[in-house]
Amino acid sequence: MNQGPSVDHGHLQPMFVHFDDLDQMGMVHNTRYGVLVERALTLFWDSHGYGFGNGKLGHPDASVGVAEFAISYKAPIIGTGAVYVHLTVDHIGSTSVGYTFRVLSAEGAVHAEGRRVHIRLDPKTFRPTPWAEETRAIYKTLSAG
């Protein structure tokens, strides 16, 4: 994959569209955009030690629930190949975080954009619980300011 589009903040995650992501018209199926975002977040957090290996969370703050997921489709992705997911954070609460995302072509064209909210859940009680300071610091690296 090439270097991808230029972004001024957040994280740009290279992804690849596979043949099984396509619908009968050769476009990425609408449900696969959510999978691209999910996988981009997984790759980002795994690189910070927040993965799920050997059946265990890499960090307690990896225990999250999705409270909101919204996506708007702008232009179809036709065929297989490189795409990029641009992840940013627009809100960091005591137990929640709001991401914004864009699915981009290598040239920077927007294929889809949206928002996703995670709630930090205690892995034993499944009740909201505050983020650790090190997690908040990582979220701040995805913020504009």
Side-chain angles (χ1 to χ4, degrees):
M1 280 191 207
N2 69 19
Q3 206 170 18
S6 176
V7 296
D8 60 356
H9 69 284
H11 175 74
L12 190 65
Q13 181 63 54
M15 302 299 294
F16 193 84
V17 172
H18 297 269
F19 183 76
D20 62 351
D21 294 321
L22 306 178
D23 65 15
Q24 70 275 17
M25 295 178 289
M27 297 186 297
V28 171
H29 190 275
N30 65 295
T31 61
R32 302 304 286 178
Y33 287 83
V35 173
L36 286 168
V37 172
E38 180 77 34
R39 289 180 177 166
L41 283 164
T42 299
L43 288 166
F44 174 79
W45 283 104
D46 190 68
S47 74
H48 287 85
Y50 288 64
F52 187 73
N54 297 321
K56 296 184 182 188
L57 296 173
H59 188 283
D61 284 6
S63 176
V64 298
V66 177
E68 177 184 332
F69 186 73
I71 188 166
S72 296
Y73 304 99
K74 303 301 180 187
I77 300 170
I78 309 294
T80 62
V83 294
Y84 297 82
V85 177
H86 180 212
L87 301 169
T88 59
V89 164
D90 66 1
H91 168 77
I92 307 166
S94 62
T95 63
S96 65
V97 65
Y99 291 95
T100 57
F101 63 85
R102 297 181 304 153
V103 179
L104 305 170
S105 71
E107 297 76 31
V110 178
H111 292 289
E113 60 189 7
R115 178 170 168 77
R116 182 172 162 132
V117 176
H118 286 181
I119 307 295
R120 161 71 166 99
L121 299 175
D122 180 284
K124 291 187 173 105
T125 66
F126 294 101
R127 301 290 308 152
T129 191
W131 301 111
E133 283 307 311
E134 62 264 27
T135 306
R136 295 178 68 76
I138 295 168
Y139 282 134
K140 287 178 183 173
T141 69
L142 297 174
S143 299

